[in-house]
Amino acid sequence: MSRRTPREIDVDLSRERILDVAEKHFRRIGYQKASVADIASCLGMSTANIYRFFPSRAVINRSICGRFLAETVQFAESIAQMQAPSSEKLANLLTDFHRKRKTTAIKEKPVHELIVTATAENWVIARAHSDQISAIETIVREGVEAHEFGVEDAAQAARNVMSAFMPFYHPVLVEQRVRNGEDTEAGLRDQIPFIMKALGCSV
């Protein structure tokens, strides 16, 4: 494995500083209103210098979105590593995923708007996020090994779980349900037993 040069380390640190400031602006006023000039001003540098590290504004948008989505992936992985029955971990993961998405839609509208755009425009980072949620497959596989779940293909079962869960996770669908005054958590509580039954849950 090659060692990174001091210049490579400096570039990464500069990129992270720019993203830190950009994220603050995105969270405060939204990604559409936050300009590269604003970000540069806060950092005491020129807009041209920003573009030395990020070739376009779109790359900054995708990088910030990647940060938000990485938080969800890390959160899911932490639940998957818990010492608990697989059915309990899966129920907790889906519930917490939904609550986080719902809270973002209500209380963090700038973040929500960025995720909606990434989803609608099918950004690579959003597709990658869908592929990265391997925590569900890990939980399902553990459940199969522990004879909690009665499925043969854990990967396919995990994809089916995500499909059944999508009305409670897709940012646009969650926003619509919230606007309509629906009790989304009650709906999810009804959906989780259906998902468990589909997995052949024995508990």
Side-chain angles (χ1 to χ4, degrees), residues 7-20 43 45 49-50 52-54:
R7 175 168 175 73
E8 288 173 329
I9 294 173
D10 286 342
V11 167
D12 283 348
L13 289 175
S14 296
R15 285 175 58 87
E16 289 305 308
R17 281 182 61 223
I18 292 170
L19 290 178
D20 287 343
L43 289 164
M45 62 173 65
N49 202 30
I50 297 287
R52 286 180 53 225
F53 299 98
F54 296 93

Side-chain angles (χ1 to χ4, degrees), residues 19 22 26 36 39 50 54 56-64:
L19 290 178
F26 281 25
V36 174
I39 296 168
I50 297 287
F54 296 93
S56 69
R57 169 58 188 273
V59 173
I60 296 177
N61 292 347
R62 284 161 171 73
S63 297
I64 296 299

Side-chain angles (χ1 to χ4, degrees), residues 8 22 114 126 134 153 186:
E8 288 173 329
L114 180 61
S134 58
D153 187 335

Side-chain angles (χ1 to χ4, degrees), residues 121-184:
E121 297 181 1
N122 202 25
W123 290 0
V124 172
I125 189 66
R127 294 200 303 272
H129 172 61
S130 297
D131 295 337
Q132 286 172 15
I133 305 186
S134 58
I136 291 178
E137 182 180 342
T138 298
I139 293 173
V140 172
R141 197 175 302 282
E142 288 178 356
V144 171
E145 293 172 357
H147 304 293
E148 284 187 63
F149 301 145
V151 295
E152 295 182 359
D153 187 335
Q156 181 60 51
R159 290 192 291 271
N160 292 342
V161 169
M162 279 304 298
S163 294
F165 176 59
M166 197 53 63
F168 303 93
Y169 188 65
H170 192 289
V172 174
L173 297 179
V174 171
E175 181 182 4
Q176 288 175 344
R177 286 170 171 247
V178 169
R179 282 182 179 176
N180 292 336
E182 294 183 36
D183 186 342
T184 56

Side-chain angles (χ1 to χ4, degrees), residues 61-78:
N61 292 347
R62 284 161 171 73
S63 297
I64 296 299
C65 186
R67 280 185 164 198
F68 296 149
L69 298 178
E71 292 176 4
T72 303
V73 173
Q74 293 170 1
F75 178 71
E77 290 174 348
S78 68

Side-chain angles (χ1 to χ4, degrees), residues 19 100-101 107 118 135 139 146 148 154 187 191 194 197:
L19 290 178
K100 182 173 179 58
R101 186 56 51 100
K107 298 182 178 180
I139 293 173
E148 284 187 63
Q191 184 76 336
F194 171 82
K197 185 175 180 179

